[in-house]
Amino acid sequence: MGTCKLLEMNSRALDECGDVMGSIRNGQIDGILIKEFISPNIALSRGKILMENPSLMLSSSCPYGRIYARTIIGIGNQSEQYFEDAQVFRTECEQFFGSQESFETQLAQLLSKIAGGRTVSLPVGSGGNPYSPATIRWVDPGGAIAPHCEKVYFKAGTLSFKLIDRIAAADTIFSFFMVMTKPEAGGELVLYDFNWQNQNGNGVGNKTNPKYLESHCNPTPISISEGDLIIFNAGQIWHQISEVKGTIPRITIGGFISFSKDDETLYYFS
């Protein structure tokens, strides 16, 4: 087991927890696991609805399954399509969860409690269109998400970097996600004692292959149940999603969090 510093709290106990996001940024903790962010029954019911009708929302295939909405990672030069898809997903997501259980509203309220007094906001692009608040990821049985850290993708010069650098401190890339369906086995978030600085920012190298990470970097599997939400320093910490086993796909909804350049605002987007 690794030495991951993960704070675990119930969603009802967050009012007095202070500047948790600042603590993650400063490296005092690696992240926070929030139990029952949304009712497990509601989270699971939404996952089952999607399993019964996978085409309910706009999606595209990917190596491990499918993704609902276009993520800012890997958009190439298709920024207009990204913002168009973001508006479609935002509407679909509101309808999917319902106004009383709105995922985006509850996410913003949660972040306000752990933002250390900062404003919480969905960023807006140069054309006045908001970024996508989240994406839904569906990992098929037999699928996995290979080891990575987000700094690998958000490199200076790429469109992804420019869209973030326009509004936020691009060295502050944190991931968040909530589990909607948990597979019978596997599909765990695994954190490693290996970060971006360990490799001097040189990108993916021999040390970041799965065998090296498993044998040398103290893997820590994180158990996350339906309705639980995790936030962690994905920009720095190498991590992966282990192979999904059984017959149930792993379905999550999540995205990224960054600090504004003036440290006055916390942005969420995907």
Side-chain angles (χ1 to χ4, degrees), residues 36-87:
E36 297 188 9
F37 163 65
I38 283 179
S39 161
N41 290 335
I42 292 174
L44 181 57
S45 69
R46 298 308 185 271
K48 287 181 175 179
I49 289 171
L50 208 55
M51 288 172 61
E52 292 168 359
N53 187 3
S55 61
L56 181 66
M57 303 165 71
L58 180 66
S59 69
S60 58
S61 60
C62 60
Y64 52 77
R66 65 177 62 205
I67 186 166
Y68 294 83
R70 189 182 298 261
T71 177
I72 202 168
I73 293 177
I75 61 174
N77 61 357
Q78 297 179 311
S79 61
E80 290 186 10
Q81 189 63 51
Y82 166 78
F83 285 108
E84 288 177 10
D85 288 356
Q87 306 325 303

mmCIF file of all heavy atoms in Angstrom, residues 36-87:
data_model
loop_
_atom_site.group_PDB
_atom_site.id
_atom_site.type_symbol
_atom_site.label_atom_id
_atom_site.label_comp_id
_atom_site.label_asym_id
_atom_site.label_seq_id
_atom_site.Cartn_x
_atom_site.Cartn_y
_atom_site.Cartn_z
ATOM 1 N N GLU A 36 -21.175 10.017 0.206
ATOM 2 C CA GLU A 36 -22.585 10.367 -0.037
ATOM 3 C C GLU A 36 -22.749 11.825 -0.467
ATOM 4 O O GLU A 36 -23.602 12.549 0.055
ATOM 5 C CB GLU A 36 -23.436 10.039 1.187
ATOM 6 C CG GLU A 36 -23.438 8.545 1.511
ATOM 7 C CD GLU A 36 -24.432 8.164 2.591
ATOM 8 O OE1 GLU A 36 -25.247 9.033 2.975
ATOM 9 O OE2 GLU A 36 -24.410 7.008 3.031
ATOM 10 N N PHE A 37 -21.909 12.244 -1.402
ATOM 11 C CA PHE A 37 -22.086 13.571 -2.006
ATOM 12 C C PHE A 37 -23.497 13.699 -2.576
ATOM 13 O O PHE A 37 -24.166 14.709 -2.406
ATOM 14 C CB PHE A 37 -21.033 13.762 -3.104
ATOM 15 C CG PHE A 37 -21.343 14.866 -4.064
ATOM 16 C CD1 PHE A 37 -21.375 16.185 -3.638
ATOM 17 C CD2 PHE A 37 -21.605 14.590 -5.398
ATOM 18 C CE1 PHE A 37 -21.667 17.219 -4.534
ATOM 19 C CE2 PHE A 37 -21.898 15.609 -6.292
ATOM 20 C CZ PHE A 37 -21.929 16.925 -5.859
ATOM 21 N N ILE A 38 -23.940 12.655 -3.257
ATOM 22 C CA ILE A 38 -25.318 12.512 -3.701
ATOM 23 C C ILE A 38 -25.812 11.170 -3.162
ATOM 24 O O ILE A 38 -25.021 10.232 -2.998
ATOM 25 C CB ILE A 38 -25.427 12.573 -5.241
ATOM 26 C CG1 ILE A 38 -25.299 14.024 -5.725
ATOM 27 C CG2 ILE A 38 -26.735 11.979 -5.761
ATOM 28 C CD1 ILE A 38 -25.359 14.205 -7.224
ATOM 29 N N SER A 39 -27.088 11.065 -2.859
ATOM 30 C CA SER A 39 -27.639 9.813 -2.349
ATOM 31 C C SER A 39 -27.199 8.633 -3.207
ATOM 32 O O SER A 39 -27.325 8.684 -4.439
ATOM 33 C CB SER A 39 -29.168 9.894 -2.344
ATOM 34 O OG SER A 39 -29.748 8.606 -2.287
ATOM 35 N N PRO A 40 -26.675 7.574 -2.600
ATOM 36 C CA PRO A 40 -26.272 6.400 -3.382
ATOM 37 C C PRO A 40 -27.390 5.857 -4.259
ATOM 38 O O PRO A 40 -27.139 5.406 -5.379
ATOM 39 C CB PRO A 40 -25.853 5.389 -2.303
ATOM 40 C CG PRO A 40 -25.467 6.222 -1.128
ATOM 41 C CD PRO A 40 -26.369 7.419 -1.166
ATOM 42 N N ASN A 41 -28.622 5.906 -3.753
ATOM 43 C CA ASN A 41 -29.755 5.406 -4.538
ATOM 44 C C ASN A 41 -29.982 6.249 -5.792
ATOM 45 O O ASN A 41 -30.270 5.715 -6.871
ATOM 46 C CB ASN A 41 -31.025 5.385 -3.684
ATOM 47 C CG ASN A 41 -30.987 4.325 -2.606
ATOM 48 O OD1 ASN A 41 -30.282 3.325 -2.741
ATOM 49 N ND2 ASN A 41 -31.726 4.538 -1.536
ATOM 50 N N ILE A 42 -29.836 7.574 -5.655
ATOM 51 C CA ILE A 42 -30.010 8.448 -6.820
ATOM 52 C C ILE A 42 -28.882 8.230 -7.822
ATOM 53 O O ILE A 42 -29.111 8.105 -9.031
ATOM 54 C CB ILE A 42 -30.075 9.921 -6.382
ATOM 55 C CG1 ILE A 42 -31.368 10.175 -5.596
ATOM 56 C CG2 ILE A 42 -29.986 10.849 -7.587
ATOM 57 C CD1 ILE A 42 -31.456 11.568 -4.993
ATOM 58 N N ALA A 43 -27.642 8.167 -7.327
ATOM 59 C CA ALA A 43 -26.500 7.961 -8.218
ATOM 60 C C ALA A 43 -26.638 6.650 -8.982
ATOM 61 O O ALA A 43 -26.461 6.606 -10.213
ATOM 62 C CB ALA A 43 -25.205 7.971 -7.416
ATOM 63 N N LEU A 44 -26.970 5.577 -8.268
ATOM 64 C CA LEU A 44 -27.101 4.266 -8.905
ATOM 65 C C LEU A 44 -28.271 4.242 -9.877
ATOM 66 O O LEU A 44 -28.178 3.657 -10.962
ATOM 67 C CB LEU A 44 -27.262 3.185 -7.842
ATOM 68 C CG LEU A 44 -27.390 1.743 -8.345
ATOM 69 C CD1 LEU A 44 -26.191 1.347 -9.198
ATOM 70 C CD2 LEU A 44 -27.546 0.781 -7.168
ATOM 71 N N SER A 45 -29.375 4.884 -9.513
ATOM 72 C CA SER A 45 -30.539 4.889 -10.408
ATOM 73 C C SER A 45 -30.206 5.581 -11.720
ATOM 74 O O SER A 45 -30.644 5.140 -12.794
ATOM 75 C CB SER A 45 -31.727 5.570 -9.731
ATOM 76 O OG SER A 45 -31.523 6.964 -9.580
ATOM 77 N N ARG A 46 -29.425 6.666 -11.669
ATOM 78 C CA ARG A 46 -29.039 7.351 -12.897
ATOM 79 C C ARG A 46 -28.100 6.478 -13.723
ATOM 80 O O ARG A 46 -28.194 6.444 -14.953
ATOM 81 C CB ARG A 46 -28.384 8.701 -12.588
ATOM 82 C CG ARG A 46 -29.278 9.690 -11.865
ATOM 83 C CD ARG A 46 -30.622 9.895 -12.562
ATOM 84 N NE ARG A 46 -31.418 10.926 -11.922
ATOM 85 C CZ ARG A 46 -32.273 10.723 -10.938
ATOM 86 N NH1 ARG A 46 -32.440 9.509 -10.429
ATOM 87 N NH2 ARG A 46 -32.976 11.721 -10.434
ATOM 88 N N GLY A 47 -27.223 5.771 -13.052
ATOM 89 C CA GLY A 47 -26.345 4.858 -13.773
ATOM 90 C C GLY A 47 -27.117 3.755 -14.475
ATOM 91 O O GLY A 47 -26.827 3.399 -15.630
ATOM 92 N N LYS A 48 -28.121 3.222 -13.791
ATOM 93 C CA LYS A 48 -28.929 2.153 -14.384
ATOM 94 C C LYS A 48 -29.735 2.664 -15.578
ATOM 95 O O LYS A 48 -29.904 1.951 -16.574
ATOM 96 C CB LYS A 48 -29.855 1.557 -13.322
ATOM 97 C CG LYS A 48 -29.131 0.689 -12.298
ATOM 98 C CD LYS A 48 -30.103 0.109 -11.283
ATOM 99 C CE LYS A 48 -29.405 -0.852 -10.326
ATOM 100 N NZ LYS A 48 -30.357 -1.411 -9.317
ATOM 101 N N ILE A 49 -30.225 3.902 -15.484
ATOM 102 C CA ILE A 49 -30.958 4.492 -16.607
ATOM 103 C C ILE A 49 -30.058 4.561 -17.839
ATOM 104 O O ILE A 49 -30.461 4.237 -18.960
ATOM 105 C CB ILE A 49 -31.486 5.889 -16.241
ATOM 106 C CG1 ILE A 49 -32.636 5.782 -15.231
ATOM 107 C CG2 ILE A 49 -31.948 6.644 -17.486
ATOM 108 C CD1 ILE A 49 -33.070 7.114 -14.654
ATOM 109 N N LEU A 50 -28.816 4.971 -17.620
ATOM 110 C CA LEU A 50 -27.883 5.074 -18.732
ATOM 111 C C LEU A 50 -27.520 3.697 -19.277
ATOM 112 O O LEU A 50 -27.377 3.522 -20.497
ATOM 113 C CB LEU A 50 -26.621 5.813 -18.274
ATOM 114 C CG LEU A 50 -25.844 6.590 -19.340
ATOM 115 C CD1 LEU A 50 -26.732 7.592 -20.060
ATOM 116 C CD2 LEU A 50 -24.646 7.292 -18.719
ATOM 117 N N MET A 51 -27.391 2.708 -18.397
ATOM 118 C CA MET A 51 -27.102 1.348 -18.849
ATOM 119 C C MET A 51 -28.240 0.792 -19.708
ATOM 120 O O MET A 51 -28.003 0.080 -20.683
ATOM 121 C CB MET A 51 -26.856 0.435 -17.645
ATOM 122 C CG MET A 51 -25.524 0.678 -16.936
ATOM 123 S SD MET A 51 -25.392 -0.258 -15.381
ATOM 124 C CE MET A 51 -25.530 -1.940 -15.966
ATOM 125 N N GLU A 52 -29.466 1.130 -19.328
ATOM 126 C CA GLU A 52 -30.625 0.639 -20.078
ATOM 127 C C GLU A 52 -30.786 1.366 -21.418
ATOM 128 O O GLU A 52 -31.345 0.812 -22.362
ATOM 129 C CB GLU A 52 -31.889 0.819 -19.236
ATOM 130 C CG GLU A 52 -31.924 -0.086 -18.006
ATOM 131 C CD GLU A 52 -33.031 0.301 -17.031
ATOM 132 O OE1 GLU A 52 -33.756 1.282 -17.324
ATOM 133 O OE2 GLU A 52 -33.164 -0.358 -15.979
ATOM 134 N N ASN A 53 -30.283 2.597 -21.488
ATOM 135 C CA ASN A 53 -30.408 3.386 -22.717
ATOM 136 C C ASN A 53 -29.119 4.187 -22.934
ATOM 137 O O ASN A 53 -29.080 5.397 -22.702
ATOM 138 C CB ASN A 53 -31.616 4.324 -22.625
ATOM 139 C CG ASN A 53 -31.899 5.036 -23.931
ATOM 140 O OD1 ASN A 53 -31.224 4.805 -24.939
ATOM 141 N ND2 ASN A 53 -32.872 5.931 -23.917
ATOM 142 N N PRO A 54 -28.063 3.530 -23.406
ATOM 143 C CA PRO A 54 -26.768 4.204 -23.557
ATOM 144 C C PRO A 54 -26.793 5.399 -24.508
ATOM 145 O O PRO A 54 -25.940 6.276 -24.419
ATOM 146 C CB PRO A 54 -25.860 3.094 -24.104
ATOM 147 C CG PRO A 54 -26.512 1.821 -23.686
ATOM 148 C CD PRO A 54 -27.981 2.100 -23.742
ATOM 149 N N SER A 55 -27.766 5.436 -25.429
ATOM 150 C CA SER A 55 -27.838 6.540 -26.384
ATOM 151 C C SER A 55 -28.720 7.679 -25.888
ATOM 152 O O SER A 55 -29.090 8.568 -26.661
ATOM 153 C CB SER A 55 -28.358 6.027 -27.731
ATOM 154 O OG SER A 55 -29.666 5.481 -27.593
ATOM 155 N N LEU A 56 -29.040 7.668 -24.604
ATOM 156 C CA LEU A 56 -29.911 8.698 -24.034
ATOM 157 C C LEU A 56 -29.311 10.087 -24.176
ATOM 158 O O LEU A 56 -30.021 11.082 -24.316
ATOM 159 C CB LEU A 56 -30.163 8.391 -22.557
ATOM 160 C CG LEU A 56 -31.073 9.330 -21.777
ATOM 161 C CD1 LEU A 56 -32.499 9.249 -22.323
ATOM 162 C CD2 LEU A 56 -31.051 8.988 -20.288
ATOM 163 N N MET A 57 -27.969 10.162 -24.122
ATOM 164 C CA MET A 57 -27.265 11.440 -24.204
ATOM 165 C C MET A 57 -26.202 11.356 -25.295
ATOM 166 O O MET A 57 -25.768 10.266 -25.675
ATOM 167 C CB MET A 57 -26.624 11.779 -22.851
ATOM 168 C CG MET A 57 -27.615 11.819 -21.689
ATOM 169 S SD MET A 57 -26.826 11.793 -20.059
ATOM 170 C CE MET A 57 -26.105 13.429 -20.012
ATOM 171 N N LEU A 58 -25.783 12.527 -25.771
ATOM 172 C CA LEU A 58 -24.761 12.602 -26.810
ATOM 173 C C LEU A 58 -23.455 12.002 -26.300
ATOM 174 O O LEU A 58 -22.961 12.391 -25.248
ATOM 175 C CB LEU A 58 -24.530 14.067 -27.202
ATOM 176 C CG LEU A 58 -23.479 14.337 -28.281
ATOM 177 C CD1 LEU A 58 -23.932 13.756 -29.612
ATOM 178 C CD2 LEU A 58 -23.221 15.843 -28.405
ATOM 179 N N SER A 59 -22.902 11.042 -27.033
ATOM 180 C CA SER A 59 -21.674 10.397 -26.584
ATOM 181 C C SER A 59 -20.814 10.029 -27.783
ATOM 182 O O SER A 59 -21.248 10.084 -28.938
ATOM 183 C CB SER A 59 -21.986 9.139 -25.763
ATOM 184 O OG SER A 59 -22.525 8.121 -26.592
ATOM 185 N N SER A 60 -19.582 9.640 -27.496
ATOM 186 C CA SER A 60 -18.674 9.154 -28.524
ATOM 187 C C SER A 60 -17.882 7.994 -27.945
ATOM 188 O O SER A 60 -17.687 7.893 -26.719
ATOM 189 C CB SER A 60 -17.735 10.272 -28.995
ATOM 190 O OG SER A 60 -16.997 10.795 -27.906
ATOM 191 N N SER A 61 -17.432 7.109 -28.800
ATOM 192 C CA SER A 61 -16.667 5.952 -28.335
ATOM 193 C C SER A 61 -15.233 6.365 -28.033
ATOM 194 O O SER A 61 -14.716 7.351 -28.559
ATOM 195 C CB SER A 61 -16.680 4.846 -29.389
ATOM 196 O OG SER A 61 -16.101 5.297 -30.593
ATOM 197 N N CYS A 62 -14.599 5.612 -27.166
ATOM 198 C CA CYS A 62 -13.199 5.834 -26.826
ATOM 199 C C CYS A 62 -12.578 4.470 -26.527
ATOM 200 O O CYS A 62 -13.300 3.469 -26.445
ATOM 201 C CB CYS A 62 -13.070 6.786 -25.641
ATOM 202 S SG CYS A 62 -13.867 6.208 -24.128
ATOM 203 N N PRO A 63 -11.262 4.360 -26.381
ATOM 204 C CA PRO A 63 -10.618 3.047 -26.240
ATOM 205 C C PRO A 63 -11.160 2.181 -25.104
ATOM 206 O O PRO A 63 -11.151 0.956 -25.194
ATOM 207 C CB PRO A 63 -9.153 3.406 -26.009
ATOM 208 C CG PRO A 63 -8.971 4.713 -26.696
ATOM 209 C CD PRO A 63 -10.266 5.439 -26.487
ATOM 210 N N TYR A 64 -11.648 2.798 -24.017
ATOM 211 C CA TYR A 64 -12.106 2.016 -22.872
ATOM 212 C C TYR A 64 -13.624 1.879 -22.807
ATOM 213 O O TYR A 64 -14.138 1.192 -21.937
ATOM 214 C CB TYR A 64 -11.581 2.623 -21.564
ATOM 215 C CG TYR A 64 -11.871 4.095 -21.398
ATOM 216 C CD1 TYR A 64 -13.137 4.539 -21.030
ATOM 217 C CD2 TYR A 64 -10.872 5.040 -21.596
ATOM 218 C CE1 TYR A 64 -13.410 5.881 -20.876
ATOM 219 C CE2 TYR A 64 -11.127 6.396 -21.444
ATOM 220 C CZ TYR A 64 -12.395 6.812 -21.082
ATOM 221 O OH TYR A 64 -12.660 8.151 -20.932
ATOM 222 N N GLY A 65 -14.356 2.559 -23.683
ATOM 223 C CA GLY A 65 -15.815 2.491 -23.632
ATOM 224 C C GLY A 65 -16.443 3.651 -24.370
ATOM 225 O O GLY A 65 -16.382 3.744 -25.581
ATOM 226 N N ARG A 66 -17.002 4.585 -23.613
ATOM 227 C CA ARG A 66 -17.603 5.763 -24.225
ATOM 228 C C ARG A 66 -17.528 6.944 -23.270
ATOM 229 O O ARG A 66 -17.361 6.779 -22.053
ATOM 230 C CB ARG A 66 -19.050 5.495 -24.646
ATOM 231 C CG ARG A 66 -20.011 5.225 -23.502
ATOM 232 C CD ARG A 66 -21.438 5.044 -24.027
ATOM 233 N NE ARG A 66 -21.550 3.890 -24.927
ATOM 234 C CZ ARG A 66 -22.488 3.779 -25.860
ATOM 235 N NH1 ARG A 66 -23.367 4.742 -26.023
ATOM 236 N NH2 ARG A 66 -22.558 2.705 -26.604
ATOM 237 N N ILE A 67 -17.661 8.135 -23.852
ATOM 238 C CA ILE A 67 -17.624 9.350 -23.051
ATOM 239 C C ILE A 67 -18.764 10.250 -23.500
ATOM 240 O O ILE A 67 -19.028 10.396 -24.699
ATOM 241 C CB ILE A 67 -16.252 10.058 -23.171
ATOM 242 C CG1 ILE A 67 -16.173 11.255 -22.219
ATOM 243 C CG2 ILE A 67 -15.955 10.471 -24.598
ATOM 244 C CD1 ILE A 67 -14.761 11.782 -22.043
ATOM 245 N N TYR A 68 -19.460 10.811 -22.530
ATOM 246 C CA TYR A 68 -20.593 11.701 -22.792
ATOM 247 C C TYR A 68 -20.119 13.143 -22.626
ATOM 248 O O TYR A 68 -19.639 13.522 -21.564
ATOM 249 C CB TYR A 68 -21.739 11.397 -21.846
ATOM 250 C CG TYR A 68 -22.347 10.030 -22.069
ATOM 251 C CD1 TYR A 68 -21.780 8.891 -21.521
ATOM 252 C CD2 TYR A 68 -23.490 9.870 -22.855
ATOM 253 C CE1 TYR A 68 -22.323 7.624 -21.731
ATOM 254 C CE2 TYR A 68 -24.047 8.621 -23.078
ATOM 255 C CZ TYR A 68 -23.456 7.505 -22.517
ATOM 256 O OH TYR A 68 -24.006 6.252 -22.724
ATOM 257 N N ALA A 69 -20.245 13.920 -23.685
ATOM 258 C CA ALA A 69 -19.726 15.279 -23.835
ATOM 259 C C ALA A 69 -18.258 15.195 -24.249
ATOM 260 O O ALA A 69 -17.595 14.163 -24.077
ATOM 261 C CB ALA A 69 -19.875 16.124 -22.582
ATOM 262 N N ARG A 70 -17.780 16.274 -24.795
ATOM 263 C CA ARG A 70 -16.398 16.333 -25.284
ATOM 264 C C ARG A 70 -15.527 16.894 -24.174
ATOM 265 O O ARG A 70 -15.762 17.983 -23.659
ATOM 266 C CB ARG A 70 -16.335 17.221 -26.521
ATOM 267 C CG ARG A 70 -15.010 17.213 -27.257
ATOM 268 C CD ARG A 70 -15.077 18.171 -28.425
ATOM 269 N NE ARG A 70 -16.092 17.770 -29.382
ATOM 270 C CZ ARG A 70 -15.836 17.093 -30.505
ATOM 271 N NH1 ARG A 70 -14.599 16.755 -30.804
ATOM 272 N NH2 ARG A 70 -16.820 16.772 -31.327
ATOM 273 N N THR A 71 -14.498 16.151 -23.781
ATOM 274 C CA THR A 71 -13.593 16.646 -22.750
ATOM 275 C C THR A 71 -12.579 17.591 -23.369
ATOM 276 O O THR A 71 -12.231 17.479 -24.556
ATOM 277 C CB THR A 71 -12.873 15.494 -22.038
ATOM 278 O OG1 THR A 71 -11.949 16.038 -21.081
ATOM 279 C CG2 THR A 71 -12.114 14.621 -23.015
ATOM 280 N N ILE A 72 -12.097 18.518 -22.572
ATOM 281 C CA ILE A 72 -11.159 19.519 -23.058
ATOM 282 C C ILE A 72 -9.823 18.886 -23.470
ATOM 283 O O ILE A 72 -9.080 19.446 -24.275
ATOM 284 C CB ILE A 72 -10.956 20.614 -21.985
ATOM 285 C CG1 ILE A 72 -10.454 21.911 -22.624
ATOM 286 C CG2 ILE A 72 -10.039 20.146 -20.871
ATOM 287 C CD1 ILE A 72 -10.516 23.097 -21.701
ATOM 288 N N ILE A 73 -9.531 17.709 -22.924
ATOM 289 C CA ILE A 73 -8.319 16.989 -23.308
ATOM 290 C C ILE A 73 -8.482 16.439 -24.721
ATOM 291 O O ILE A 73 -9.465 15.800 -25.038
ATOM 292 C CB ILE A 73 -8.024 15.834 -22.334
ATOM 293 C CG1 ILE A 73 -7.656 16.390 -20.952
ATOM 294 C CG2 ILE A 73 -6.893 14.948 -22.844
ATOM 295 C CD1 ILE A 73 -7.428 15.333 -19.921
ATOM 296 N N GLY A 74 -7.507 16.665 -25.542
ATOM 297 C CA GLY A 74 -7.496 16.063 -26.864
ATOM 298 C C GLY A 74 -8.501 16.620 -27.830
ATOM 299 O O GLY A 74 -8.953 15.917 -28.749
ATOM 300 N N ILE A 75 -8.880 17.913 -27.693
ATOM 301 C CA ILE A 75 -9.877 18.464 -28.610
ATOM 302 C C ILE A 75 -9.261 18.909 -29.934
ATOM 303 O O ILE A 75 -9.973 19.332 -30.842
ATOM 304 C CB ILE A 75 -10.640 19.645 -27.968
ATOM 305 C CG1 ILE A 75 -9.686 20.796 -27.600
ATOM 306 C CG2 ILE A 75 -11.426 19.190 -26.775
ATOM 307 C CD1 ILE A 75 -10.413 22.028 -27.094
ATOM 308 N N GLY A 76 -7.923 18.816 -30.017
ATOM 309 C CA GLY A 76 -7.278 19.220 -31.263
ATOM 310 C C GLY A 76 -7.540 20.686 -31.542
ATOM 311 O O GLY A 76 -7.332 21.546 -30.683
ATOM 312 N N ASN A 77 -8.010 20.999 -32.750
ATOM 313 C CA ASN A 77 -8.333 22.387 -33.090
ATOM 314 C C ASN A 77 -9.842 22.626 -33.139
ATOM 315 O O ASN A 77 -10.312 23.572 -33.768
ATOM 316 C CB ASN A 77 -7.695 22.763 -34.434
ATOM 317 C CG ASN A 77 -8.211 21.880 -35.570
ATOM 318 O OD1 ASN A 77 -9.002 20.966 -35.347
ATOM 319 N ND2 ASN A 77 -7.747 22.150 -36.782
ATOM 320 N N GLN A 78 -10.590 21.754 -32.449
ATOM 321 C CA GLN A 78 -12.052 21.804 -32.532
ATOM 322 C C GLN A 78 -12.669 22.529 -31.329
ATOM 323 O O GLN A 78 -13.566 22.025 -30.672
ATOM 324 C CB GLN A 78 -12.606 20.385 -32.635
ATOM 325 C CG GLN A 78 -12.158 19.646 -33.887
ATOM 326 C CD GLN A 78 -12.702 18.235 -33.936
ATOM 327 O OE1 GLN A 78 -12.611 17.486 -32.969
ATOM 328 N NE2 GLN A 78 -13.278 17.863 -35.065
ATOM 329 N N SER A 79 -12.220 23.729 -31.084
ATOM 330 C CA SER A 79 -12.743 24.457 -29.924
ATOM 331 C C SER A 79 -14.214 24.815 -30.097
ATOM 332 O O SER A 79 -14.984 24.776 -29.137
ATOM 333 C CB SER A 79 -11.918 25.719 -29.671
ATOM 334 O OG SER A 79 -11.979 26.596 -30.782
ATOM 335 N N GLU A 80 -14.635 25.163 -31.311
ATOM 336 C CA GLU A 80 -16.035 25.494 -31.526
ATOM 337 C C GLU A 80 -16.936 24.301 -31.235
ATOM 338 O O GLU A 80 -17.988 24.449 -30.603
ATOM 339 C CB GLU A 80 -16.257 25.984 -32.968
ATOM 340 C CG GLU A 80 -15.657 27.348 -33.256
ATOM 341 C CD GLU A 80 -16.017 27.842 -34.635
ATOM 342 O OE1 GLU A 80 -16.885 27.217 -35.295
ATOM 343 O OE2 GLU A 80 -15.447 28.859 -35.068
ATOM 344 N N GLN A 81 -16.499 23.109 -31.680
ATOM 345 C CA GLN A 81 -17.285 21.910 -31.425
ATOM 346 C C GLN A 81 -17.316 21.587 -29.939
ATOM 347 O O GLN A 81 -18.331 21.135 -29.411
ATOM 348 C CB GLN A 81 -16.716 20.721 -32.205
ATOM 349 C CG GLN A 81 -17.603 19.481 -32.177
ATOM 350 C CD GLN A 81 -18.944 19.718 -32.839
ATOM 351 O OE1 GLN A 81 -19.000 20.194 -33.969
ATOM 352 N NE2 GLN A 81 -20.031 19.409 -32.144
ATOM 353 N N TYR A 82 -16.199 21.849 -29.257
ATOM 354 C CA TYR A 82 -16.152 21.622 -27.807
ATOM 355 C C TYR A 82 -17.225 22.443 -27.104
ATOM 356 O O TYR A 82 -17.986 21.929 -26.278
ATOM 357 C CB TYR A 82 -14.772 21.974 -27.249
ATOM 358 C CG TYR A 82 -14.756 22.085 -25.739
ATOM 359 C CD1 TYR A 82 -14.740 20.937 -24.937
ATOM 360 C CD2 TYR A 82 -14.801 23.322 -25.101
ATOM 361 C CE1 TYR A 82 -14.761 21.032 -23.549
ATOM 362 C CE2 TYR A 82 -14.825 23.428 -23.717
ATOM 363 C CZ TYR A 82 -14.800 22.276 -22.945
ATOM 364 O OH TYR A 82 -14.838 22.372 -21.580
ATOM 365 N N PHE A 83 -17.307 23.735 -27.422
ATOM 366 C CA PHE A 83 -18.270 24.603 -26.747
ATOM 367 C C PHE A 83 -19.708 24.268 -27.150
ATOM 368 O O PHE A 83 -20.623 24.365 -26.329
ATOM 369 C CB PHE A 83 -17.947 26.069 -27.020
ATOM 370 C CG PHE A 83 -16.760 26.572 -26.251
ATOM 371 C CD1 PHE A 83 -15.556 26.836 -26.887
ATOM 372 C CD2 PHE A 83 -16.835 26.761 -24.884
ATOM 373 C CE1 PHE A 83 -14.455 27.294 -26.170
ATOM 374 C CE2 PHE A 83 -15.740 27.210 -24.146
ATOM 375 C CZ PHE A 83 -14.541 27.479 -24.795
ATOM 376 N N GLU A 84 -19.918 23.864 -28.384
ATOM 377 C CA GLU A 84 -21.257 23.438 -28.806
ATOM 378 C C GLU A 84 -21.688 22.195 -28.029
ATOM 379 O O GLU A 84 -22.818 22.123 -27.524
ATOM 380 C CB GLU A 84 -21.270 23.154 -30.309
ATOM 381 C CG GLU A 84 -21.187 24.402 -31.181
ATOM 382 C CD GLU A 84 -21.131 24.066 -32.660
ATOM 383 O OE1 GLU A 84 -21.352 22.877 -33.010
ATOM 384 O OE2 GLU A 84 -20.881 24.975 -33.470
ATOM 385 N N ASP A 85 -20.795 21.205 -27.950
ATOM 386 C CA ASP A 85 -21.117 19.978 -27.223
ATOM 387 C C ASP A 85 -21.324 20.254 -25.736
ATOM 388 O O ASP A 85 -22.137 19.596 -25.077
ATOM 389 C CB ASP A 85 -20.001 18.943 -27.403
ATOM 390 C CG ASP A 85 -19.974 18.346 -28.798
ATOM 391 O OD1 ASP A 85 -20.872 18.673 -29.601
ATOM 392 O OD2 ASP A 85 -19.050 17.556 -29.086
ATOM 393 N N ALA A 86 -20.576 21.222 -25.209
ATOM 394 C CA ALA A 86 -20.704 21.570 -23.788
ATOM 395 C C ALA A 86 -22.117 22.039 -23.470
ATOM 396 O O ALA A 86 -22.688 21.676 -22.428
ATOM 397 C CB ALA A 86 -19.686 22.645 -23.419
ATOM 398 N N GLN A 87 -22.699 22.839 -24.364
ATOM 399 C CA GLN A 87 -24.051 23.346 -24.117
ATOM 400 C C GLN A 87 -25.082 22.225 -24.200
ATOM 401 O O GLN A 87 -26.041 22.184 -23.430
ATOM 402 C CB GLN A 87 -24.395 24.447 -25.118
ATOM 403 C CG GLN A 87 -23.392 25.592 -25.170
ATOM 404 C CD GLN A 87 -22.773 25.925 -23.826
ATOM 405 O OE1 GLN A 87 -23.476 26.232 -22.862
ATOM 406 N NE2 GLN A 87 -21.458 25.857 -23.735
#
